[in-house]
């Protein structure tokens, strides 16, 4: 039996939890095989800590003591369905969504089913593309999408404009090549400056550029401006070896943010810009490191003045750890890599770097808002505030690209992530009986009744919408 006293700063008293029976009591909130929802988000976070401490009288020696973290949009640490850590005390049970098969027939003859809530329809909005990646809506409401061509480090990439969307058929009338001959274009964004000038920002492996943009342009109306160079080499590139994607997002503070992946699986980087997010002015000036220690944060997005990011952990710690993570990004934080990793709602030190003079204190590494099973490869994300789609209000959708080890059956789906609950499958079927039918990349809202989803394996953009009655 152990007794744990936890200071309740919000209420000005101490909470005492005692274990040795089936559950713990914390301020009259019963913990029975796990934390129930408390009356206050702050107390809900304490539930997790209290029960974890009660469950064992001692912690592993390499686990870091956790400071309390600020949880944006009322998030608490949650465990994904199907995770080895599902069922841990901090996970709140989620009633699974009922997913039903929806038939997909592509122009190349492939026919299969994707599973999603019955109240939704899914249609092929654009197809015949290659390695189609991230999307953005232009000032004149066109959809622009990047295409990296294939898995190699190449200069065959394209940016497409998708025009003439018909919500009734769920398809685009035309797909036009806006830019070609690009080195691994992963991400695109738009910005209108204080003078009213419109810009298209494009994140390439070796640089961030921007083009002047005019409504209705079929090709750029001016030459690109190079805003920032990036390291463009790694340890003998092979898919998953070094990370050549760069992702750009623009905040409501008029700043530009670029996520740059690591040069390796687990190493101490020579260039500070690796495994980091960089902040700069809209014209590229005043560049600085915003955060460090994110091994490969391919998905970043601003929502309500906060920057959210997905991140992929190292591959050398086995099939089940580290878990993949989803954060609210805090300026000047170090998120641990390569020195620390998260597993089962705790942060551990990686033995490989314990003797390093550069190591960080793992006790200062923030816990993620939500976690996904190891090797799920979370990428793009979208927040739905006022959706008319049932059970898609005030939640995120996160695309899980899937790992190379198919036998783990991790990822290859889209998950719903909502505050205080474990992520749950929202669209599945991209991996069936060992056969890959697709790999989700990015999600982009289309009004209140639908959203787009890119798939860089099938070269498809899907449109998911509320089923008409």
């Amino acid at each position: 039996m152990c007794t744990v006293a936890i200071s309740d700063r919000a209420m000005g008293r101490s909470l005492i939890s005692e274990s040795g029976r089936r559950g713990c009591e914390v301020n009259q909130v019963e913990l029975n095989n796990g934390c129930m929802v408390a009356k206050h988000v702050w107390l809900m976070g304490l539930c997790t800590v209290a029960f974890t401490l009660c469950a064992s009288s001692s912690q592993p020696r390499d686990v870091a003591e956790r400071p309390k973290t600020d949880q944006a949009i009322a998030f608490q640490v949650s465990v994904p369905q199907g995770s080895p850590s599902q069922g841990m005390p901090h996970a709140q049970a989620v009633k699974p969504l009922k997913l039903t098969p929806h038939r997909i027939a592509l122009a190349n003859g492939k026919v299969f089913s994707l599973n999603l809530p019955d109240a939704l329809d899914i249609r092929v909005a654009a197809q015949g593309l290659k390695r189609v990646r991230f999307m953005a809506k232009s000032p004149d409401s066109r959809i622009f999408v990047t295409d990296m061509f294939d898995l190699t480090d190449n200069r065959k990439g394209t940016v497409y404009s998708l025009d003439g969307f018909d919500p009734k058929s769920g398809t685009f009338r035309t797909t036009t090549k806006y830019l070609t001959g690009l080195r691994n274009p992963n991400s695109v964004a738009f910005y209108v400056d204080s003078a009213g000038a419109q810009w298209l920002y494009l994140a390439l492996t070796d640089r961030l550029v921007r083009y002047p943009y005019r409504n209705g342009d079929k090709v750029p109306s001016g030459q690109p401006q190079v805003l920032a160079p990036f390291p463009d080499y790694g340890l003998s590139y092979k898919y998953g070896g070094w990370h050549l994607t760069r992702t750009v997002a623009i905040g409501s503070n008029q700043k530009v943010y670029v996520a740059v992946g690591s040069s390796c699986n687990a190493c101490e980087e020579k260039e500070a810009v690796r495994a980091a997010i960089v902040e700069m002015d809209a014209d590229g000036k005043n560049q600085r490191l915003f955060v460090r220690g994110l091994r490969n944060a391919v998905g970043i997005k601003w929502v309500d003045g906060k920057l959210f990011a997905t991140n992929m952990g190292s591959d050398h710690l086995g099939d089940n750890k580290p878990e993949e993570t989803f954060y609210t990004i805090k300026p000047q934080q170090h998120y641990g890599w390569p020195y620390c990793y998260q597993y089962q709602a705790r942060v551990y030190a990686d033995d490989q770097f314990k003797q390093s003079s550069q190591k960080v204190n793992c006790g200062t590494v923030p816990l993620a808002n939500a976690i996904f099973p190891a090797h799920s490869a979370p990428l793009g994300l979208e927040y739905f505030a006022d959706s008319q789609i049932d059970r898609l209000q005030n939640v995120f959708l996160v695309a899980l690209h899937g790992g190379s080890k198919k036998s783990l059956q991790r990822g290859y789906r889209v998950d719903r992530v909502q505050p205080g609950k474990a992520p749950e499958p929202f669209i599945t079927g991209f991996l069936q009986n060992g056969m890959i039918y697709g790999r989700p990349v990015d999600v982009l809202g289309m009004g209140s009744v639908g959203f787009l989803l890119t798939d860089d394996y099938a070269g498809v953009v899907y449109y998911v919408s509320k089923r008409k009655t």
Side-chain angles (χ1 to χ4, degrees):
M1 178 181 294
C2 67
T3 300
V4 182
I6 304 173
S7 174
D8 182 351
R9 291 171 292 180
M11 300 179 185
R13 60 181 181 272
S14 292
L15 306 178
I16 306 296
S17 70
E18 183 178 314
S19 69
R21 54 183 186 269
R22 185 176 179 83
C24 295
E25 290 185 359
V26 179
N27 197 33
Q28 298 180 347
V29 177
E30 184 182 3
L31 304 178
N32 189 5
N33 285 336
C35 253
M36 296 180 65
V37 181
K39 294 181 180 179
H40 303 282
V41 172
W42 185 86
L43 181 59
M44 190 160 52
L46 278 183
C47 278
T48 302
V49 176
F51 193 90
T52 301
L53 292 172
C54 287
S56 173
S57 59
S58 63
Q59 295 185 23
R61 285 176 295 177
D62 60 347
V63 68
E65 294 289 342
R66 301 298 320 143
K68 185 182 179 295
T69 58
D70 178 23
Q71 296 174 330
I73 313 187
F75 268 107
Q76 74 175 93
V77 180
S78 302
V79 176
Q81 294 189 4
S83 167
S85 52
Q86 185 178 357
M88 291 295 292
H90 59 274
Q92 180 180 330
V94 176
K95 183 179 179 181
L97 289 166
K98 182 180 179 181
L99 307 182
T100 59
H102 291 62
R103 184 175 183 270
I104 303 294
L106 301 181
N108 61 11
K110 291 185 178 180
V111 178
F112 53 95
S113 292
L114 294 177
N115 309 307
L116 56 158
D118 188 58
L120 299 182
D121 280 327
I122 183 168
R123 285 163 284 185
V124 178
Q127 57 184 313
L129 307 175
K130 298 292 185 180
R131 194 184 174 195
V132 61
R133 299 286 287 181
F134 282 77
M135 300 171 283
K137 184 177 290 186
S138 68
D140 53 341
S141 298
R142 301 154 71 194
I143 302 300
F144 282 68
V145 62
T146 58
D147 190 322
M148 296 176 65
F149 188 74
D150 62 20
L151 296 176
T152 65
D153 180 4
N154 66 76
R155 298 180 185 273
K156 301 178 181 179
T158 302
V159 173
Y160 291 97
S161 66
L162 308 180
D163 301 304
F165 181 72
D166 179 3
K168 292 183 178 180
S169 65
T171 60
F172 291 96
R173 184 178 65 253
T174 60
T175 301
T176 304
K177 291 183 178 181
Y178 184 80
L179 284 164
T180 60
L182 303 170
R183 186 174 181 188
N184 312 311
N186 179 65
S187 173
V188 62
F190 289 90
Y191 173 69
V192 181
D193 66 23
S194 58
Q198 299 178 157
W199 300 93
L200 180 151
Y201 288 74
L202 181 61
L204 306 172
T205 294
D206 56 346
R207 56 196 168 132
L208 174 70
V209 299
R210 70 173 184 175
Y211 293 83
Y213 179 80
R214 295 184 306 193
N215 294 347
D217 274 351
K218 298 301 182 183
V219 295
S221 55
Q223 293 300 308
Q225 299 177 3
V226 178
L227 303 184
F230 301 120
D232 63 346
Y233 66 92
L235 303 178
S236 62
Y237 178 73
K238 183 179 180 181
Y239 185 56
W242 68 282
H243 303 110
L244 49 70
T245 60
R246 315 288 182 241
T247 306
V248 59
I250 301 175
S252 57
N253 58 359
Q254 318 305 313
K255 298 286 187 178
V256 177
Y257 298 81
V258 182
V260 180
S262 69
S263 68
C264 59
N265 173 55
C267 65
E268 293 182 319
E269 297 285 8
K270 295 179 180 180
E271 297 107 343
V273 71
R274 303 267 201 180
I277 296 177
V278 183
E279 179 192 72
M280 67 189 76
D281 294 343
D283 59 3
K285 296 178 181 178
N286 298 313
Q287 297 181 22
R288 67 164 185 153
L289 287 176
F290 190 63
V291 296
R292 301 180 65 184
L294 292 169
R295 176 177 172 269
N296 196 26
V298 180
I300 59 173
K301 181 160 290 189
W302 281 90
V303 179
D304 294 336
K306 297 180 176 66
L307 181 60
F308 293 84
T310 59
N311 184 50
M312 288 176 270
S314 301
D315 294 326
H316 66 288
L317 295 171
D319 289 345
N320 297 323
K321 59 184 180 181
E323 291 154 333
E324 314 279 48
T325 46
F326 175 63
Y327 292 106
T328 307
I329 298 299
K330 302 297 181 183
Q332 303 309 307
Q333 286 277 2
H334 196 296
Y335 284 83
W337 183 90
Y339 310 103
C340 315
Y341 64 91
Q342 182 168 329
Y343 181 59
Q344 295 185 352
R346 299 180 183 180
V347 175
Y348 295 83
D350 188 331
D351 289 341
Q352 182 174 333
F353 299 97
K354 277 188 172 181
Q355 304 305 316
S356 171
S357 61
Q358 303 178 51
K359 68 181 180 181
V360 301
N361 178 1
C362 294
T364 66
V365 174
L367 284 172
N369 291 346
I371 55 175
F372 308 97
H375 312 294
S376 295
L379 296 182
L381 58 143
E382 180 67 293
Y383 184 69
F384 296 84
D386 301 313
S387 176
Q388 296 181 29
I389 298 174
D390 184 40
R391 302 180 74 177
L392 201 58
Q393 296 85 27
N394 302 314
V395 301
F396 283 92
L397 288 184
V398 178
L400 304 183
H401 196 233
S404 58
K405 194 173 182 179
K406 293 186 295 182
S407 60
L408 294 176
Q409 300 186 57
R410 307 271 175 79
Y412 298 96
R413 70 189 195 208
V414 177
D415 270 12
R416 183 177 73 162
V417 179
Q418 54 186 327
K421 296 182 181 180
E424 57 184 328
F426 194 82
I427 303 177
T428 67
F430 294 100
L431 176 64
Q432 301 179 36
N433 301 317
M435 180 173 291
I436 298 174
Y437 292 98
R439 302 188 76 176
V441 175
D442 191 28
V443 183
L444 180 68
M446 292 283 282
S448 62
V449 296
F451 60 89
L452 298 172
L453 171 67
T454 53
D455 171 356
D456 72 353
Y457 182 85
V460 169
V461 179
Y462 292 103
Y463 177 61
V464 179
S465 63
K466 184 177 179 181
R467 175 168 290 178
K468 297 179 181 179
T469 57

